[in-house]
Amino acid sequence: LQQLSAFAQRNNAFLLVRYHLNTSVEDLAQSDHRKFLPIATFPDSELVVGISDVLITDWSSIAFDMMAIGKPIVFLDVPAPFTNGFSLPPEFRVGDKVRSFEELIESLSGICNHEERYQVS
C-alpha cells in the first residue's frame, strides 16, 4: 500500500482502499493520497464504484459493477480463493491481468496516461 500510495502521489491520483467484507484489517492509516473505505463505515459499494476511476481486484464480483459502467479493471492474477465454490475462469476477466507489482504499476501507468485504451465496452 505504501508503494501504491507513492504511485498515486506521483500521478496526482488518490488511492481508495476497500477490503473484502471478510478481511480483517489492522492498519488503516490514511495519507494525503490514500483513504480506507471499510464496509462497516461505508456500506454503499455502488457509491465507491461510482467515484472510482480504476478497479484493482482479484476475484471480487465488484468487477461486474465496474464492467457495467465501462471503467478500467486490473486483475491480480492469483489463484481463485475458493476450493468449494464458484469462480469464473480467468478468461472471463476483462482488462489487464498482472502477476507482479511491477506489472501492476505498468498497467496503472498505461491507464493514467492512455485512459481511452482501457475503457471496457
Side-chain angles (χ1 to χ4, degrees):
L1 288 179
Q2 295 296 335
Q3 292 177 6
L4 282 174
S5 294
F7 174 86
Q9 185 172 6
R10 286 191 308 273
N11 289 276
N12 195 28
F14 200 82
L15 179 65
L16 298 176
V17 181
R18 183 178 186 89
Y19 290 104
H20 188 272
L21 63 102
N22 293 327
T23 302
S24 99
V25 180
E26 304 279 331
D27 178 20
L28 297 178
Q30 311 288 340
S31 76
D32 289 343
H33 291 273
R34 178 180 65 212
K35 179 153 182 76
F36 286 89
L37 301 177
I39 290 174
T41 309
F42 300 94
D44 188 352
S45 294
E46 288 80 13
L47 177 62
V48 175
V49 167
I51 63 173
S52 299
D53 293 319
V54 178
L55 173 67
I56 302 168
T57 188
D58 53 8
W59 292 87
S60 176
S61 61
I62 202 159
F64 294 109
D65 296 329
M66 291 295 276
M67 282 184 227
I69 57 177
K71 292 186 178 181
I73 303 167
V74 180
F75 281 94
L76 304 175
D77 193 13
V78 296
F82 309 111
T83 54
N84 296 318
F86 178 75
S87 294
L88 288 173
E91 60 269 14
F92 281 84
R93 295 189 264 171
V94 299
D96 288 349
K97 291 134 199 107
V98 299
R99 294 183 177 178
S100 67
F101 186 77
E102 291 75 22
E103 287 181 8
L104 174 60
I105 294 300
E106 183 179 323
S107 174
L108 292 174
S109 294
I111 291 168
C112 287
N113 295 315
H114 305 286
E115 187 176 341
E116 72 283 354
R117 294 183 197 167
Y118 289 86
Q119 297 301 310
V120 178
S121 54

